Amino acid sequence: MEKNIAVIRGDGIGPEIVEQALRVLDKVAEVFGHTFNYTDVDMGGCAIDKWGDPLPQEMLERCVNSDSVLLGAVGGNKWNDVPGDKRPEKGLLRLRAGMGVYSNNRPAKIWPQLADASPLKKSVVDKGIDFIIVRELIGGIYFGEHKTETVDGKPTAIDVLKYSEDEIERIGRIGFETARKRGKRLCSVEKSNVLDSSRLWKKVMHALAEEYPDVELSDMLVDNCAMQIVKDPSQFDVVVTENMFGDILSDEASMITGSIGMIPSSSLGAGTCGLYEPIHGSAPDIAGMDIANPIGTILSAAMMLRFSFDMPEEADAVENAVSAYLDAGYRTADIMSEGMTQVGCKKCGELIIANIGKE
Ligand code: NAD
């Protein structure tokens, strides 16, 4: 297969970690007989320096016209004083809106080799943690009307939580499709004992379930879900939920897995073109030192293979290569522990690449 990938190296450690992910993709192409073409896109602080704009229109078009986008990270102290609409992060918001990505997907996976990094008890971690939270990204209370007015002489704040059937259905489909590509279990999280929007949410999810008889759908109230994520995260395969619940639960879920440098994410819209990026920022404190952990970005590339390019075997090969690297006792500084061998960013990429196509 031939795929065109827009590549945003960004700022800080962005260029270093993206470089390793591209080398991994090149190896996948070689082993599995694909062609990946890369188009560079300037976004963030580097685009401000070069073009005076964090995401010039032409750069956005390169992303929209690609088969998918791989992003390192943007931002840094250098651009702290630029006006609000010119900040590096504005480029990211514009990119998400321009690509129409309404679903954010964040895996919570514990690597058994890094179980000690989890704040959870060993007995809980040992049962395994490997699930994805599918969060609605451009609707709900964050995008409803916000106002503060005086009622009976007192300041009163109002935030509107609104979901249409269509908005729920399109994110629901992503949830079902994601579950279909994994363990075929989908947990729909809402607050239907209190909220009308949640009652509609639940109704739409159950209507959709009829189209996905191979996926087992369950319902869970959001407060219970927050407890279950720390009590027994092994029970989850895919969780689908609305914007604010997903915002909170996905941070909780990433916390229980340990290192920030290891976690990938994807954002998808109506088509297969997605935005893939690690969940961390540009880490200016360690930029250019060859010590950043590129695994979050490498695993983001694996998600791209699985979810946008429908290449599950290739995605498995990358994930297995990461696992074999950890098994061999290699660690970047952020996850270093006693008895392990410390490696830099480049070396980490090299060792992971060497494991691809080995099986
Ligand atoms: P950060 O995630 O960049 O860094 C937090 C801490 O984690 C730092 O100590 C850093 O060294 C470490 N870290 C992060 N990624 C790492 C990796 N791959 N390997 C090893 N260590 C890693 O968060 P921050 O310091 O709050 O933000 C720095 C900049 O990044 C800011 O300008 C912020 O706005 C931006 N940011 C960008 C994105 C994005 O591009 N999606 C997301 C979050 C923050």
Side-chain angles (χ1 to χ4, degrees), residues 13 17 71-77 89 92 96 260-261 277-286 291-294 334:
I13 59 169
I17 53 178
L71 161 66
V74 296
N77 297 339
E89 295 78 4
L92 188 54
R96 287 177 181 155
I260 190 174
E277 54 179 318
I279 67 160
H280 59 74
S282 59
D285 53 330
I286 57 167
I291 58 170
N293 187 346
D334 55 314

Side-chain angles (χ1 to χ4, degrees), residues 310-358:
D310 203 15
M311 297 179 180
E313 244 184 273
E314 290 82 339
D316 284 347
V318 175
E319 288 166 4
N320 292 340
V322 170
S323 190
Y325 156 90
L326 294 171
D327 276 342
Y330 295 111
R331 303 285 186 271
T332 41
D334 55 314
I335 53 169
M336 184 58 191
S337 61
E338 215 185 313
M340 301 293 129
T341 309
Q342 188 166 328
V343 293
C345 181
K346 251 191 233 151
K347 186 75 186 168
C348 170
E350 223 169 270
L351 291 162
I352 289 170
I353 290 158
N355 293 330
I356 297 174
K358 242 185 175 179

Side-chain angles (χ1 to χ4, degrees), residues 60-308:
L60 172 61
E61 277 161 24
R62 285 186 194 179
C63 294
V64 172
N65 295 328
S66 70
D67 291 314
S68 258
V69 180
L70 182 68
L71 161 66
V74 296
N77 297 339
K78 184 178 170 194
W79 302 280
N80 276 353
D81 296 330
V82 298
D85 65 327
K86 291 273 186 248
R87 287 186 61 86
E89 295 78 4
K90 263 281 175 240
L92 188 54
L93 295 182
R94 240 193 266 160
L95 178 66
R96 287 177 181 155
M99 290 180 69
V101 285
Y102 53 77
S103 142
N104 180 250
N105 313 294
R106 224 196 241 195
K109 174 171 170 147
I110 190 104
W111 297 85
Q113 304 91 333
L114 303 179
D116 286 350
S118 172
L120 297 185
K121 269 198 279 186
K122 188 173 178 315
S123 58
V124 176
V125 174
D126 282 351
K127 290 170 80 181
I129 304 173
D130 184 3
F131 64 101
I132 287 193
I133 295 186
V134 175
R135 164 191 168 193
E136 201 288 324
L137 203 56
I138 54 176
I141 199 162
Y142 293 176
F143 287 80
E145 189 189 358
H146 308 289
K147 63 178 177 185
T148 303
E149 54 190 29
T150 304
V151 177
D152 296 334
K154 302 265 185 206
T156 304
I158 301 164
D159 298 289
V160 176
L161 166 49
K162 193 168 115 185
Y163 268 111
S164 71
E165 192 179 56
D166 289 351
E167 283 174 306
I168 300 170
E169 189 183 318
R170 67 183 187 179
I171 188 73
R173 281 192 190 286
I174 301 256
F176 278 100
E177 295 290 341
T178 307
R180 194 168 249 182
K181 288 178 177 151
R182 290 176 44 101
K184 300 189 168 49
R185 287 180 297 117
L186 179 65
C187 179
S188 164
V189 171
E190 28 70 5
K191 188 73 182 162
S192 57
N193 54 344
V194 178
L195 300 173
D196 258 42
S197 57
S198 280
R199 282 190 273 275
L200 181 61
W201 179 278
K202 190 171 175 181
K203 194 172 148 203
V204 173
M205 289 296 156
H206 280 265
L208 269 178
E210 298 190 2
E211 290 180 41
Y212 296 88
D214 52 324
V215 176
E216 182 194 319
L217 174 70
S218 61
D219 305 296
M220 193 176 278
L221 295 175
V222 63
D223 38 354
N224 185 26
C225 184
M227 289 194 288
Q228 294 300 328
I229 285 177
V230 288
K231 187 170 171 240
D232 180 16
S234 72
Q235 68 187 283
F236 297 110
D237 178 24
V238 179
V239 168
V240 63
T241 192
E242 60 104 91
N243 202 345
M244 184 167 64
F245 298 162
D247 188 9
I248 298 164
L249 293 177
S250 64
D251 265 20
E252 183 191 7
S254 61
M255 192 56 224
I256 62 171
T257 63
S259 167
I260 190 174
M262 299 282 298
I263 307 172
S265 80
S266 71
S267 300
L268 284 158
T272 55
C273 179
L275 171 62
Y276 295 85
E277 54 179 318
I279 67 160
H280 59 74
S282 59
D285 53 330
I286 57 167
M289 296 165 71
D290 191 34
I291 58 170
N293 187 346
I295 293 181
T297 318
I298 289 171
L299 293 173
S300 298
M303 285 186 92
M304 177 188 287
L305 297 171
R306 190 182 302 284
F307 296 112
S308 282

